[in-house]
Amino acid sequence: MYTEFYQLSADPFRLMPDHRFVLHHKNFRGAYATMRHMLDQGEGVLVLTGRPGTGKTTLVQHFLAELKSPDLVAATLVSTHLQEYDILRMVSYSFGLESRKEDKATLLRELELFLKRQERALLVIDEAQNLSESALEEVRMLTNIHDHGRQLLQVFLVGQESLHERIHSRAMEQLHQRLMAVCQLYPLNLQETCDFILHRLGCVNWRGIP
């Protein structure tokens, strides 16, 4: 109703993430630049954290939408308390592989052969704070896959602040050693909040109707 009353082309404040509404505030630009730099490096693990609603998924959507590299294949999966074997199968599905094999060794081999055929590959795992320790260890093992000194898979782990604590725990010491960069998104300040509201209204053709 109010979209018609204010002559808006769409709902500017939907709860679902939508990178078309992204506001390039300072914190966002810094995190985006770090992700871009990491991708250019071609190795290691990046961790992006933030409280719910700070724009992590929107940033990831925007980052992937902006990728123009024809030699990069990227996949995204959302963690829902996945265990060791589940994460391997979900990674395979995310890259378009639909293996009917049930054993772990065959699944890993098929994934490795796929990655060797790619110039570069990026895996983004959202809600990564929900992954079990065994699943996180499997993710670390995937970053061990090399071909002639080239790391075949880069990983971006995205999640709430508890993810940062888990990565730095004693149990995750080996994964921590793979960590190349850490980004955190913070809540908007007052000025950024005003900019955010006006920006979203502008995206849906608001004409200044009070």
Side-chain angles (χ1 to χ4, degrees):
M1 179 185 297
Y2 80 87
T3 55
E4 296 179 3
F5 181 83
Y6 289 106
Q7 301 175 30
L8 306 179
S9 59
D11 183 350
F13 301 113
R14 295 183 60 200
L15 292 180
M16 293 299 294
D18 189 337
H19 69 92
R20 295 173 299 175
F21 289 91
V22 68
L23 173 67
H24 295 263
H25 56 86
K26 182 179 180 180
N27 187 201
F28 180 96
R29 294 194 304 270
Y32 181 92
T34 302
M35 294 167 69
R36 186 74 242 187
H37 176 71
M38 268 289 295
L39 190 65
D40 292 340
Q41 293 299 303
E43 61 182 1
V45 175
L46 174 141
V47 171
L48 170 65
T49 61
R51 291 166 53 185
T54 49
K56 300 181 299 295
T57 301
T58 302
L59 171 57
V60 168
Q61 289 179 351
H62 177 72
F63 179 79
L64 294 176
E66 289 287 298
L67 292 180
K68 307 296 183 186
S69 179
D71 64 348
L72 174 70
V73 57
T76 306
L77 68 86
V78 178
S79 161
T80 53
H81 299 87
L82 298 175
Q83 300 298 318
E84 173 185 1
Y85 182 73
D86 297 324
I87 190 70
L88 292 177
R89 186 165 290 281
M90 288 302 296
V91 169
S92 296
Y93 286 158
S94 297
F95 281 112
L97 304 176
E98 296 188 12
S99 174
R100 296 183 180 180
K101 304 294 183 180
E102 294 298 327
D103 62 292
K104 176 180 174 180
T106 303
L107 193 61
L108 278 171
R109 180 59 177 165
E110 291 180 349
L111 185 57
E112 181 178 352
L113 291 174
F114 168 79
L115 293 174
K116 284 184 176 180
R117 295 194 297 269
Q118 313 306 316
E119 292 288 331
R120 294 189 298 161
L122 170 66
L123 173 66
V124 180
I125 303 179
D126 204 353
E127 299 296 341
Q129 77 278 353
N130 293 329
L131 291 175
S132 66
E133 286 189 4
S134 62
L136 282 170
E137 176 61 15
E138 285 299 329
V139 171
R140 183 191 71 83
M141 293 296 291
L142 290 178
T143 66
N144 281 341
I145 303 176
H146 287 73
D147 183 35
H148 297 94
R150 177 176 66 94
Q151 182 176 316
L152 298 183
L153 179 66
Q154 272 190 284
V155 176
F156 288 3
L157 297 175
V158 182
Q160 296 178 24
E161 292 169 315
S162 58
L163 173 63
H164 186 273
E165 299 171 3
R166 293 190 61 197
I167 294 296
H168 288 80
S169 68
R170 184 179 297 274
M172 293 286 100
E173 184 176 352
Q174 288 183 298
L175 177 58
H176 182 228
Q177 291 175 355
R178 291 283 179 187
L179 200 59
M180 296 287 287
V182 176
C183 310
Q184 185 168 2
L185 291 182
Y186 301 98
L188 302 179
N189 60 33
L190 178 58
Q191 183 58 56
E192 290 168 340
T193 301
C194 295
D195 294 341
F196 172 81
I197 294 171
L198 292 175
H199 173 74
R200 286 217 160 199
L201 287 170
C203 288
V204 295
N205 301 315
W206 179 59
R207 304 302 183 190
I209 301 174

